[in-house]
Amino acid sequence: MFFNDTLYWIDINSGTLHSMYKNTFSSVKLDEIITFIAPHNDGIIYSTRNSINFYNTEKAYKNALFKMDFQKNVRFNDGKCDHSGRLFAGTMDINEKNPIGKLYKFEKEPENILENVTISNGMAWSMDGSTMYYIDSPTRKIRVFNYDNINGEIISEGQSIDVSASPGVPDGMTIDSEDNIYVAFFGGSHVLKLNKSGKILLEIELDAENVSCCTFGGDDFRTLFITTAFNGRNGGGIYMFNNDVPGIKPDIFKF
């Protein structure tokens, strides 16, 4: 996540938030695990296994916003805000086998939006907010929804984008200012750029196998930052790709 001229990323298993502002690097351990982060005007929103929390990055204090009652083999995975600032956060089966996860919307109270999810992952919204993209990784498809950004509701579901021909499984996702989506492939060593019809426009190949997420940032938001996970042989670093089209800034949590 790139916000307020700062690149933020997390180490899930160590529960650590990392940041880079210009040439200054810092880290803080926030919890046992952190599964995703999202921007807030006064800091960041972050998730643990079963809670959504606020962390003030300047004053270094945190507090819980939502506490969920999950069964022991379920945890939060990915999350993102829509253009109106509503947080969507999905859960996954820790064993990565059964569709016991869900997708929730967080405003004043959590609301269940989708069920029968195995590994809830990347989300993105079109520039005009009329389309929502969503990934349940093992399906190897990107679900496409007609979306009401004013009321924060899924209206209907369109034709999914099938990415099963690409190696690995789709993971984190972002979008650019021309409504092209960028999808990281865990186990696939690449990021795909696709248009809204699902046509592959570009493949960004990496020398790390487990590509986990991607986000735009930099002075002109043309830098695609790509995170990877260490697999015992490679990965665990952040890659940068200079893109021809700028991305869009992350939406800020407002509820």
Side-chain angles (χ1 to χ4, degrees), residues 88-225:
F88 285 73
T91 59
M92 62 173 282
D93 173 17
I94 292 175
N95 298 316
E96 303 183 0
K97 294 180 179 179
N98 300 309
I100 55 177
K102 298 179 180 181
L103 178 66
Y104 297 91
K105 177 177 67 176
F106 292 87
E107 293 182 87
K108 292 182 179 180
E109 297 292 336
E111 179 183 349
N112 182 204
I113 302 299
L114 295 172
E115 297 186 337
N116 301 316
V117 174
T118 303
I119 304 176
S120 186
N121 243 316
M123 284 168 268
W125 284 263
S126 61
M127 288 287 290
D128 65 3
S130 66
T131 303
M132 176 182 177
Y133 300 95
Y134 173 72
I135 292 171
D136 178 5
S137 291
T139 67
R140 301 180 75 188
K141 293 181 179 180
I142 302 166
R143 296 176 71 176
V144 182
F145 299 100
N146 296 312
Y147 186 74
D148 178 357
N149 187 65
I150 295 175
N151 298 303
E153 296 177 351
I154 290 173
I155 301 169
S156 61
E157 185 166 4
Q159 180 67 42
S160 295
I161 299 172
D162 189 339
V163 292
S164 60
S166 293
V169 295
D171 200 326
M173 173 168 49
T174 193
I175 196 164
D176 69 22
S177 56
E178 294 183 352
D179 279 343
N180 303 304
I181 55 176
Y182 299 71
V183 184
F185 280 78
F186 200 87
S189 302
H190 67 289
V191 171
L192 285 187
K193 174 183 178 180
L194 307 103
N195 67 14
K196 60 184 179 181
S197 299
K199 179 182 178 180
I200 297 175
L201 303 178
L202 178 69
E203 181 177 4
I204 305 168
E205 297 182 349
L206 305 173
D207 58 5
E209 182 178 5
N210 292 336
V211 187
S212 54
C213 199
C214 50
T215 189
F216 281 101
D219 293 338
D220 56 4
F221 265 76
R222 291 177 184 268
T223 300
L224 186 67
F225 294 98

